[in-house]
Amino acid sequence: MSMQRIECYCGRDEYYDRCCAPYIIGDKNAPNPEALMRSRYTAFCTQNADYLLETLYKNAREKESRRALVASFADTQWCSLKVIRSHYRNGQKHAEVEFAAFYLANNTVGQLHERSRFVFEDEKWFYTDGDILPPISLPRNEQCWCGSGRKLKKCHPD
Ligand SMILES: [Zn+2]
Ligand SMILES: [Zn+2]
């Protein structure tokens, strides 16, 4: 195993092993809904179906097909995540996080803009479901959707 440290997939300026990895490995529970959402995005990037199913609330888990989930991994290359709104106070049992996640599929860029709902039960946060929202347009001075770290206008300006 290489000991080279990689930046986390979720877009925080942090190493993977200090960001989403402890939740995905099972060393710790994600402490808040945004951390869970980020770690679920990272699990999509690293194709970890087990974690995605474990962090799904029980009623949603019954409906999710592992086979469909795994099949989706092959079709979709996740590029970057932008958290748009995340409100959470200590002691809250329900919360919402709004995000836009960018991906490549069939060589075109796609966007999942979602308001996700989360519930806290048995000392853990779970993802329940979400509303799909119309795509956002990124300001030209913001980081490019492709995850390069460069500004949009200097990277993929269309
Ligand atoms: Zn992360
Ligand atoms: Zn770009």
Side-chain angles (χ1 to χ4, degrees), residues 51-121:
Y51 185 72
L52 290 166
L53 292 168
E54 277 163 24
T55 54
L56 205 51
Y57 194 56
K58 51 199 170 195
N59 59 345
R61 198 184 310 154
E62 285 157 14
K63 283 182 248 157
E64 180 69 281
S65 148
R66 171 181 286 266
R67 200 191 301 169
L69 186 61
V70 170
S72 78
F73 294 154
D75 301 336
T76 309
Q77 183 200 329
W78 293 94
C79 303
S80 66
L81 173 69
K82 178 180 169 63
V83 176
I84 297 168
R85 201 168 292 118
S86 170
H87 289 300
Y88 161 73
R89 271 174 277 114
N90 272 328
Q92 232 173 283
K93 301 282 189 208
H94 294 269
E96 290 183 348
V97 179
E98 181 184 339
F99 67 89
F102 296 85
Y103 60 90
L104 286 172
N106 302 319
N107 289 321
T108 51
V109 61
Q111 183 189 138
L112 174 65
H113 178 198
E114 183 179 311
R115 189 188 305 113
S116 292
R117 282 180 283 276
F118 298 86
V119 63
F120 189 72
E121 195 175 282

Side-chain angles (χ1 to χ4, degrees), residues 143-152 154-157:
Q143 293 214 341
C144 190
W145 54 264
C146 74
S148 65
R150 295 158 68 201
K151 289 181 179 178
L152 176 71
K154 295 198 167 155
C155 190
H156 284 97

Side-chain angles (χ1 to χ4, degrees), residues 8-12 19-20 38-39 42:
C8 196
Y9 301 84
C10 78
R12 278 183 68 214
C19 187
C20 293
R38 287 181 177 278
S39 68
T42 294

Side-chain angles (χ1 to χ4, degrees), residues 112-137:
L112 174 65
H113 178 198
E114 183 179 311
R115 189 188 305 113
S116 292
R117 282 180 283 276
F118 298 86
V119 63
F120 189 72
E121 195 175 282
D122 300 332
E123 305 301 308
K124 283 183 185 174
W125 283 100
F126 293 91
Y127 170 62
T128 58
D129 60 355
D131 302 321
I132 306 295
L133 304 173
I136 61 162
S137 53

